[in-house]
Amino acid sequence: MKTKKLNGWYLSVHIVFVLLTLACVLPLLLVIGISFTDEKSLLMEGYHLIPRKFSLSAYEYVFTGAASVARAYGVTVFVTVAGTFLHLLFMSMLAYGLTREEVTARNKLALFVYIPVLFNGGLVPTYMLLTKYLHLKDTIFVLIIVYMASATNVLIMKNFFRTIPVSLLESARIDGSGEIRTFFKIVLPLSKPSLASIGLFTAIAYWNDWMTCSLYIENPKLQTLQYLLQSLMNNIQYLMQNAGASKSMQNAIADLPNEGARMATCVLAVGPIIFLYPLLQKYFASGLTIGAVKE
């Protein structure tokens, strides 16, 4: 009887998770299907998973300036990779220093870490700091530096580093290993779950960021993918709102893939970053929960 109950319980759990998976996957498949559907077919027949009338007009419109899209992809990939690497490097070094009792000023340093968790400087002071004092406006470095520090991630890494046995670090020191070598050869390899989960969240923040580009970037060659797609959608919206200005504009607007272009931009924006989830999924639970509960 117990075996039957357990089998029934496991079956019901699997069914629930299958339904939840479908609830997450079906909207993505619907977006992909709409992006490949002819605009007139969308207006006449509505949305379908499988396009009733296949069309590449949405992607042709998005890639009208193919050079600018490719350049924006390159900028976004560089900013995401470089920013995530620097974020993990500096935040892990700070968190490790806060766990070492040899650091005499670690309590004072910890205070500077805790304060940003509760208070934020705001947009105006940040803008003045980056533009007037650091002179980073219209440079690619401003896209990297905005997310390079996170007090929350420091606290997560700090709790994770505390789970590493002190005896292991002392053994490395007895064998002649210095602090830097111990950190890179022992601490970081043991911290892969924490680094992987925090790295994924940081990479998503960099990838989806368009506000920083709109505030600090004027050079078209430094525009990110998200900002470029956002501008594209704003242009379509502007044309739709002012379609009654002339008959020639009305005819041009009628051929614009309004809904299809929106979905095509979603596919282009989500596509590359979504492949990181299967690679790093196994690290999520351990990376965020180890060290959260003290024995």
Side-chain angles (χ1 to χ4, degrees):
M1 292 296 294
K2 290 184 178 180
T3 303
K4 292 182 178 179
K5 289 182 179 180
L6 289 175
N7 291 336
W9 168 253
Y10 289 142
L11 179 62
S12 60
V13 170
H14 280 81
I15 292 175
V16 170
F17 276 101
V18 168
L19 294 176
L20 291 176
T21 302
L22 292 176
C24 296
V25 173
L26 286 178
L28 178 60
L29 296 178
L30 182 61
V31 168
I32 296 175
I34 295 172
S35 67
F36 287 104
T37 305
D38 182 72
E39 186 70 19
K40 294 181 180 179
S41 176
L42 287 175
L43 296 176
M44 297 296 294
E45 302 179 12
Y47 299 157
H48 296 89
L49 286 175
I50 301 176
R52 296 295 178 89
K53 186 177 179 181
F54 186 83
S55 175
L56 294 175
S57 59
Y59 289 94
E60 291 176 355
Y61 179 79
V62 173
F63 284 100
T64 301
S68 60
V69 173
R71 184 170 54 247
Y73 254 110
V75 172
T76 303
V77 170
F78 173 78
V79 169
T80 301
V81 174
T84 303
F85 172 78
L86 293 175
H87 178 94
L88 292 177
L89 177 63
F90 290 117
M91 295 302 97
S92 60
M93 293 175 68
L94 176 58
Y96 179 69
L98 294 177
T99 61
R100 303 300 297 161
E101 295 182 357
E102 295 85 353
V103 180
T104 55
R106 61 192 182 96
N107 292 330
K108 296 180 180 178
L109 291 175
L111 180 62
F112 286 98
V113 175
Y114 295 146
I115 289 177
V117 177
L118 303 176
F119 304 100
N120 192 315
L123 178 60
V124 175
T126 302
Y127 184 87
M128 293 178 63
L129 174 65
L130 294 176
T131 58
K132 186 176 180 180
Y133 297 101
L134 298 181
H135 305 288
L136 293 178
K137 187 175 182 180
D138 216 20
T139 65
I140 198 170
F141 301 106
V142 73
L143 300 174
I144 297 175
I145 199 173
V146 287
Y147 292 111
M148 208 167 67
S150 172
T152 303
N153 291 342
V154 172
L155 298 179
I156 294 175
M157 289 185 182
K158 178 183 175 183
N159 290 333
F160 191 94
F161 290 155
R162 283 179 173 174
T163 63
I164 299 176
V166 179
S167 58
L168 183 62
L169 303 180
E170 292 178 349
S171 298
R173 182 180 299 176
I174 293 174
D175 292 337
S177 176
E179 289 294 339
I180 295 179
R181 185 177 181 183
T182 301
F183 176 74
F184 285 103
K185 295 293 185 179
I186 298 177
V187 176
L188 288 186
L190 293 175
S191 307
K192 287 182 180 179
S194 176
L195 295 175
S197 21
I198 292 176
L200 177 62
F201 297 143
T202 306
I204 292 174
Y206 275 111
W207 184 268
N208 292 331
D209 181 36
W210 63 271
M211 179 63 73
T212 304
C213 184
S214 66
L215 290 174
Y216 303 105
I217 299 299
E218 296 178 358
N219 187 354
K221 294 183 179 180
L222 296 179
Q223 291 179 352
T224 60
L225 176 67
Q226 305 297 341
Y227 177 77
L228 188 65
L229 298 179
Q230 179 74 13
S231 300
L232 179 66
M233 290 296 96
N234 290 337
N235 292 338
I236 293 178
Q237 187 67 28
Y238 176 80
L239 292 175
M240 296 294 294
Q241 292 177 352
N242 296 274
S246 65
K247 291 184 179 180
S248 59
M249 182 175 288
Q250 290 179 359
N251 295 331
I253 293 299
D255 297 331
L256 279 179
N258 183 22
E259 292 296 327
R262 293 176 185 274
M263 301 307 170
T265 56
C266 292
V267 174
L268 293 174
V270 174
I273 200 69
I274 201 173
F275 292 106
L276 286 177
Y277 281 95
L279 299 176
L280 302 178
Q281 182 181 6
K282 62 181 179 180
Y283 295 115
F284 283 170
S286 59
L288 294 178
T289 59
I290 290 180
V293 180
K294 294 183 179 180
E295 296 181 357

